[in-house]
Amino acid sequence: MNAAQINNAAPAPRTLADFGLVDPAKVACASFYVDGVAGTGPGPKFTFREVGTMYVDDIENQRRVVLNLTLETRKRGDKKVPVPNSIPRLKVSNLSGYDPVKNIWGQDGYDESFVDLTLEEGASFHKEFEALRAGMVKEKNHWSWYRSDLALAS
């Protein structure tokens, strides 16, 4: 591969593993909610702001990664599609240190960053979040899902 090919090569699409979701079995819980916002401009006039969060616990390494995805969608037929020209956002929070007595994360440190995603990445991550939640148990009357092996899932 020459320099021109390297410079013109499209970057590899980012995955959730790039942000800390390496092992889906380590997703301890998730949340999801939708806000409706009146839209403007041509086309459908109602926009949905969908917010999904995954909590990935790595107790052995004393680390929790929280992935919070915001994606704007509109209804097209019987499905929702990302709003063109919208900017999906991913907030990545890293908490280190777990106190089992107090049951809290972040004893040793905390940092967060915001990542602008392409529409394709945002839609792909959104589908991955949905697939992960599908394998979890939803808490009654709440917007939370838990792994079936956790006590809170009952």
Side-chain angles (χ1 to χ4, degrees):
M1 186 177 263
N2 63 33
Q5 290 171 318
I6 292 171
N7 290 335
N8 291 330
R14 294 178 288 184
T15 66
L16 287 174
D18 295 330
F19 302 106
L21 183 55
V22 178
D23 184 0
K26 292 190 177 187
V27 174
C29 57
S31 67
F32 176 76
Y33 66 90
V34 178
D35 286 334
V37 180
T40 60
K45 300 291 185 199
F46 203 76
T47 300
F48 299 94
R49 184 170 298 119
E50 302 187 25
V51 180
T53 307
M54 291 286 154
Y55 299 83
V56 184
D57 293 347
D58 187 354
I59 294 176
E60 299 84 32
N61 293 313
Q62 294 288 296
R63 183 173 177 227
R64 172 179 260 192
V65 177
V66 181
L67 302 173
N68 179 279
L69 176 67
T70 303
L71 180 67
E72 292 182 353
T73 61
R74 289 196 176 140
K75 253 189 135 94
R76 184 168 296 148
D78 61 346
K79 64 181 181 172
K80 291 182 187 173
V81 296
V83 174
N85 301 322
S86 66
I87 302 172
R89 300 243 178 206
L90 181 68
K91 180 170 79 169
V92 181
S93 303
N94 290 291
L95 296 90
S96 56
Y98 175 69
D99 184 340
V101 174
K102 295 179 182 176
N103 192 27
I104 59 172
W105 286 93
Q107 291 287 103
D108 299 335
Y110 172 86
D111 70 78
E112 72 181 20
S113 59
F114 293 87
V115 180
D116 288 339
L117 304 172
T118 65
L119 278 178
E120 294 78 20
E121 288 173 325
S124 173
F125 291 177
H126 182 67
K127 286 181 182 178
E128 287 184 62
F129 276 29
E130 285 179 340
L132 288 167
R133 280 193 312 272
M136 302 174 88
V137 177
K138 185 177 184 305
E139 186 178 17
K140 291 181 175 111
N141 304 318
H142 291 278
W143 300 95
S144 302
W145 283 256
Y146 296 95
R147 285 194 332 243
S148 59
D149 62 331
L150 294 176
L152 293 173
S154 54

